[in-house]
Amino acid sequence: MAKFKKAAKKASTGRSKASKADAQKQAEQLSRSLSESAQQIWLAGVGAFSRAQAEGTKLFDALIKEGMTLEQTARKFAGGQADVVRDAVESKVGQARDRAADTWDRLEKVFEERVNRALIKLGVPGRDDLTELSRKVDALTAELRRQGGKPAAARKAPAAKKAAKKAPAARKPRKSAAT
């Protein structure tokens, strides 16, 4: 058994030298592979950065155009809504104006009726009374002219002129004896 152990030891020492060389080769291959992968990753990152820079400007310009389109659409929509709101407000203002005018007319009518009642209570002739009186005066004047007489106002006017001529002059104040 001791021989077997020595032979196993010799075989394992030989293998270990061979496996160390294999392991070293594998480590170098792995190191090269990792280095190449890292280099490829680095280059891919640089390429992505370059593409993002170049396409970023294009993307930015495309976003600006899309934003302008959306803004125009929003303005058209807002303009349409503003017209709808303006029409609704004008309608409401028109209704309020009509109601105010109706209310004002009713208030004016009530005021006129109260004033007329107060004037009637005071014995002041109304519009209808004055119109009737004026019509009667016109009818009497026409009748007088037809009969050949002059209206009373026409007869009194010349007399008033004569009376104005005969009116005594205003007295002058007397002078006092002291002066």
Side-chain angles (χ1 to χ4, degrees), residues 163-171:
K165 288 181 183 177
K166 291 182 182 179
R171 291 186 178 179

Side-chain angles (χ1 to χ4, degrees), residues 55-129:
E55 291 181 9
T57 305
K58 292 177 188 175
L59 177 64
F60 186 73
D61 292 339
L63 289 173
I64 288 173
K65 287 179 183 177
E66 189 174 331
M68 289 172 66
T69 303
L70 285 173
E71 182 182 21
Q72 289 173 350
T73 303
R75 284 184 186 221
K76 287 178 184 176
F77 178 75
Q81 292 300 317
D83 290 341
V84 169
V85 169
R86 186 180 307 114
D87 291 344
V89 168
E90 286 176 355
S91 172
K92 294 294 182 184
V93 167
Q95 290 173 355
R97 187 180 300 128
D98 291 344
R99 277 189 268 158
D102 289 345
T103 303
W104 188 255
D105 289 343
R106 280 187 267 148
L107 180 65
E108 187 176 351
K109 189 174 182 179
V110 167
F111 181 73
E112 286 177 0
E113 288 173 0
R114 286 186 180 176
V115 168
N116 282 336
R117 280 189 294 196
L119 291 174
I120 289 170
K121 283 181 182 179
L122 293 172
V124 176
R127 184 182 317 151
D128 295 337
D129 296 333

Side-chain angles (χ1 to χ4, degrees), residues 41-54:
I41 290 171
W42 169 256
L43 292 174
V46 170
F49 177 73
S50 174
R51 181 177 265 175
Q53 216 173 13

